[in-house]
Amino acid sequence: MSAEIIDGKAFAEQLRGRIAERVAQFVAQAKRKPGLAVVLVGEDPASQVYVRSKGKATVAAGMESFEHRLPATTGEDDIIALVSRLNADPKVDAILVQLPLPSGMDDKKVIATIDPAKDVDGFTIANAGRLAVGEDALVPCTPLGSLMLLKDRLGDLSGLEAVVVGRSNIVGKPMAQLLLQENCTVTIAHSRTRNLAEVVRRGDIVVAAVGRAEMIRGDWLKPGATVIDVGINRVDGKLVGDVAFADAAHVAGAITPVPGGVGPMTIALLLRNTLVAAHAREGLPAPVGL
Ligand code: GUN
């Protein structure tokens, strides 16, 4: 094995420390804590784990966590009514509706209800559009965390070939936008891409976000590539990424592990986005260096 292991867990811990310091400064100025409201509908076990971790991290950073757990039988109108109340609640700076919503519910309609100023996931059309045209936006946490790890390892990304595998609104598309802003030459590959291995082999940077266990093999990679594995797949009770880690580590220059890579960064960036939203709502300048 030759690749450097990118320690997202350690990076996220340091970032959370810096965020906690800034939260304390915010509390001194605004005389209140930043508040994050999380809405979880149904009993999806993975979502329950995520929501619990998010709540704990929010409180640990000195912020207020408001959890709303609703049964899977809740009507779409009731969820929309809850989001509307959270939009109007002055103690709530940021709203996260955990996805996926139970089947039959319209994710798009619920997300469209979130006030873009409180859209901590950056999922509203307003924030996605602002990101696309290069204006200040709340940006989805997973791609933002992935970009931080890339810049930490590679510095200036200008001119690098970046291949994003996956085209979801949550990861693939915003990741591509961020890499484009960093002046990468960006390819978005997906399930219909022909000669996927060849396309991936172009990448100095490869971001894997397809949700298929160990799909990307070592011999698909350009030697020395930096590989960010966003996948979290459960196989025989074990978590694995979208990249065949042991195989890829012989070829890549650096790679994120699963778990301990991107996952902890997503939570840290959720705290950062909450703090950014809180500053904007108070009319304070955005915190820098986070
Ligand atoms: N489900 C999986 N990832 C995410 C995320 O980043 N935000 C929300 N709201 N739901 C998710």
Side-chain angles (χ1 to χ4, degrees):
M1 183 155 85
S2 59
E4 177 197 326
I5 308 301
I6 300 173
D7 190 345
K9 189 160 178 264
F11 195 101
E13 270 165 26
Q14 285 179 17
L15 178 56
R16 281 169 57 175
R18 294 201 299 278
I19 292 167
E21 287 170 18
R22 299 304 186 82
V23 170
Q25 290 172 12
F26 176 89
V27 172
Q29 287 177 297
K31 312 287 178 224
R32 67 176 186 88
K33 292 181 180 182
L36 169 64
V38 175
V39 178
L40 173 61
V41 187
E43 273 93 46
D44 179 68
S47 291
Q48 285 180 325
V49 173
Y50 294 142
V51 166
R52 200 171 317 123
S53 317
K54 287 168 184 173
K56 269 204 237 167
T58 307
V59 172
M63 307 200 223
E64 195 116 46
S65 168
F66 307 101
E67 267 183 38
H68 296 268
R69 289 167 183 262
L70 305 170
T73 50
T74 309
E76 201 176 277
D77 290 351
D78 290 327
I79 297 166
I80 287 174
L82 170 61
V83 171
S84 300
R85 282 203 301 282
L86 297 172
N87 282 341
D89 186 338
K91 293 200 292 297
V92 172
D93 295 291
I95 302 169
L96 180 149
V97 178
Q98 184 66 32
L99 300 181
L101 289 169
S103 63
M105 279 188 208
D106 187 350
D107 290 7
K108 287 197 174 96
K109 203 166 151 198
V110 174
I111 288 167
T113 311
I114 301 171
D115 176 353
K118 296 189 176 189
D119 170 28
V120 73
D121 266 323
F123 290 170
T124 56
I125 289 171
N127 278 313
R130 283 181 197 146
L131 174 63
V133 296
E135 284 189 25
D136 272 353
L138 286 166
V139 177
C141 304
T142 300
L144 206 49
S146 300
L147 183 70
M148 264 192 184
L149 294 178
L150 285 169
K151 286 170 83 168
D152 182 62
R153 157 141 180 109
L154 296 169
D156 184 9
L157 308 185
S158 234
L160 295 179
E161 290 274 353
V163 179
V164 178
V165 190
R167 53 175 155 177
S168 69
N169 292 332
I170 297 184
V171 182
K173 285 183 205 162
M175 186 77 242
Q177 296 287 3
L178 288 171
L179 291 164
L180 195 54
Q181 270 180 14
E182 297 295 328
N183 304 311
C184 290
T185 302
V186 181
T187 303
I188 306 180
H190 49 76
S191 53
R192 303 285 177 88
T193 297
R194 273 181 281 155
N195 303 326
L196 183 58
E198 258 171 59
V199 172
V200 170
R201 209 171 291 120
R202 291 209 290 260
D204 301 303
I205 292 169
V206 175
V207 180
V210 267
R212 289 185 54 188
E214 301 185 325
M215 187 181 88
I216 293 170
R217 317 299 308 181
D219 64 0
W220 294 20
L221 298 171
K222 179 176 184 172
T226 301
V227 179
I228 302 291
D229 190 350
V230 177
I232 302 179
N233 310 285
R234 199 170 283 278
V235 176
D236 301 330
K238 206 171 139 257
L239 291 184
V240 298
D242 290 348
V243 180
F245 181 85
D247 196 24
H250 289 295
V251 186
I255 183 167
T256 58
V258 176
V262 174
M265 291 300 288
T266 297
I267 294 192
L269 271 297
L270 174 66
L271 305 177
R272 181 244 180 221
N273 279 358
T274 300
L275 188 59
V276 167
H279 278 76
R281 283 190 64 239
E282 289 290 336
L284 294 168
V288 284
L290 291 181

